[in-house]
Amino acid sequence: MKLLFTGFAPFGGLESNPSWDCLKMLPSQPGWFTACLPVSFRRGPEALMAAVERCRPDGVVCFGLAASRTKITPEKVAVNFAHARIPDNDGAQPQNLPLDPRGPAAYFSTLPVLDMVEALEAKNIPAELSLSAGSYVCNAVMYRLLAWATPRGIPAGFVHVPGNLPPAALCQAVEIIAHML
Ligand code: PCA
């Protein structure tokens, strides 16, 4: 089974992004691929789809930082809405726009999100289901991912990581999640 995991580049004045730092620590396994996506409404989803075309994965989990959260939060929903509080790394700051004017209002993750929360908590890693991936670049990438994965029946989705967990715990969380695909 080929699996693709993505993280993001730093943004918003931060020096690193734990969502990519933890993927860099992931022990290499046959069939596991990683990619670092730019924090850009335009280039982020493009880079994701380029990685998908390169790897042809049977499952995809995208990771991003939610600096204000304190738990690992598998996302249930991606919404067709772009509304940025800060400019992305290209200086774009969409306000009140659909991501795809012809697309559905939302997609549900095709990952077993509740089981993932349970599996993380069983290992004493703080986790909670999230019902909103926000309206910034992470949500845009999740929406694009699910527009591709849903009609194909491919398990795919998004997980936000908090800013306060040590990289080793994040890396362990990624491995737990990876083994549930
Ligand atoms: N977090 C941002 C974008 C990149 C990232 O790591 C978000 O939650 O949208």
Side-chain angles (χ1 to χ4, degrees):
M1 178 146 177
K2 286 193 284 179
L3 300 178
L4 172 65
F5 306 108
T6 72
F8 276 102
F11 70 108
L14 298 174
E15 265 169 24
S16 64
N17 189 324
S19 69
W20 175 239
D21 293 344
C22 67
L23 293 184
K24 283 192 290 192
M25 293 173 63
L26 203 60
S28 75
Q29 296 231 16
W32 285 16
F33 301 90
T34 60
C36 181
L37 306 180
V39 182
S40 156
F41 277 95
R42 187 175 57 80
R43 292 181 299 123
E46 278 175 14
L48 167 70
M49 292 317 296
V52 161
E53 269 154 41
R54 231 176 17 250
C55 312
R56 308 234 158 241
D58 306 299
V60 185
V61 188
C62 297
F63 294 88
L65 170 68
S68 61
R69 295 187 188 168
T70 55
K71 295 177 179 180
I72 304 223
T73 45
E75 298 292 350
K76 178 69 185 174
V77 199
V79 292
N80 189 0
F81 183 56
H83 191 64
R85 187 179 51 80
I86 55 170
D88 70 12
N89 286 358
D90 292 337
Q93 192 171 5
Q95 298 288 299
N96 196 23
L97 287 176
L99 290 165
D100 176 356
R102 287 184 302 204
Y107 287 104
F108 278 152
S109 175
T110 55
L111 299 176
V113 283
L114 285 170
D115 292 347
M116 285 176 172
V117 169
E118 217 173 276
L120 292 166
E121 284 180 327
K123 297 280 184 196
N124 289 316
I125 299 172
E128 190 174 46
L129 181 69
S130 168
L131 296 179
S132 173
S135 53
Y136 195 52
V137 176
C138 290
N139 173 69
V141 161
M142 183 180 175
Y143 188 87
R144 186 70 190 82
L145 171 65
L146 288 168
W148 170 79
T150 306
R152 290 168 176 79
I154 289 178
F158 198 98
V159 176
H160 267 114
V161 302
N164 66 332
L165 277 186
L170 286 185
C171 189
Q172 192 196 353
V174 173
E175 284 195 73
I176 292 167
I177 289 167
H179 284 108
M180 296 183 74
L181 269 92

